Amino acid sequence: QVQLVESGGGLVQPGGSLRLSCAASGNIFSINVMGWYRQAPGKQRDLVAAVTSIGSTNYADSVKGRFTISRDNAKNTVYLQMNSLKPEDTAVYVCNAHLCSRDSCRYYWGQGTQVTVSS
């Protein structure tokens, strides 16, 4: 059984920083893309950032220059460093990974972690 477990969310003031982590565990053969999505109340889930197994990255325009995604392949972990946070960054951040287990390759989702940016 594969699991994605996030950590690092919380309450931060505008202009502050947070670092999210997502660790994949279980019957993992290989991990292709890992990424972060976010969903604010009443809105759709949108891609924030993603990173491939060779380190290629992709960011939403709204977070470019403020957020940095990285991954540690040895630990099956992806990180999201969020700087210069704004109230509009408030959302549930959900980890996503396309990985292959012994049986199949598919997307997996974490349970989500709340990020609240407020004074």
Side-chain angles (χ1 to χ4, degrees), residues 33-80:
V33 178
M34 301 188 81
W36 291 93
Y37 287 71
R38 66 185 180 187
Q39 187 167 17
K43 295 188 176 181
Q44 67 180 20
R45 183 177 291 185
D46 291 324
L47 175 69
V48 177
V51 58
T52 69
S53 58
I54 59 171
S56 298
T57 58
N58 182 39
Y59 293 94
D61 287 343
S62 60
V63 306
K64 284 181 180 177
R66 299 188 297 123
F67 291 11
T68 302
I69 191 169
S70 61
R71 63 189 278 178
D72 185 334
N73 291 329
K75 297 181 178 180
N76 290 337
T77 300
V78 63
Y79 306 96
L80 186 67

Side-chain angles (χ1 to χ4, degrees), residues 20-117:
L20 305 182
S21 299
C22 172
S25 63
N27 181 21
I28 299 171
F29 178 72
S30 64
I31 303 179
N32 303 314
V33 178
M34 301 188 81
W36 291 93
Y37 287 71
R38 66 185 180 187
Q39 187 167 17
K43 295 188 176 181
Q44 67 180 20
R45 183 177 291 185
D46 291 324
L47 175 69
V48 177
V51 58
T52 69
S53 58
I54 59 171
S56 298
T57 58
N58 182 39
Y59 293 94
D61 287 343
S62 60
V63 306
K64 284 181 180 177
R66 299 188 297 123
F67 291 11
T68 302
I69 191 169
S70 61
R71 63 189 278 178
D72 185 334
N73 291 329
K75 297 181 178 180
N76 290 337
T77 300
V78 63
Y79 306 96
L80 186 67
Q81 178 66 44
M82 304 185 294
N83 299 329
S84 302
L85 282 160
K86 304 175 181 179
E88 51 263 44
D89 294 318
T90 295
V92 175
Y93 284 70
V94 186
C95 178
N96 172 266
H98 185 267
L99 62 86
C100 298
S101 66
R102 181 180 59 186
D103 303 315
S104 64
C105 298
R106 68 176 184 91
Y107 285 98
Y108 290 84
W109 294 91
Q111 80 285 356
T113 185
Q114 178 69 46
V115 172
T116 302
V117 185

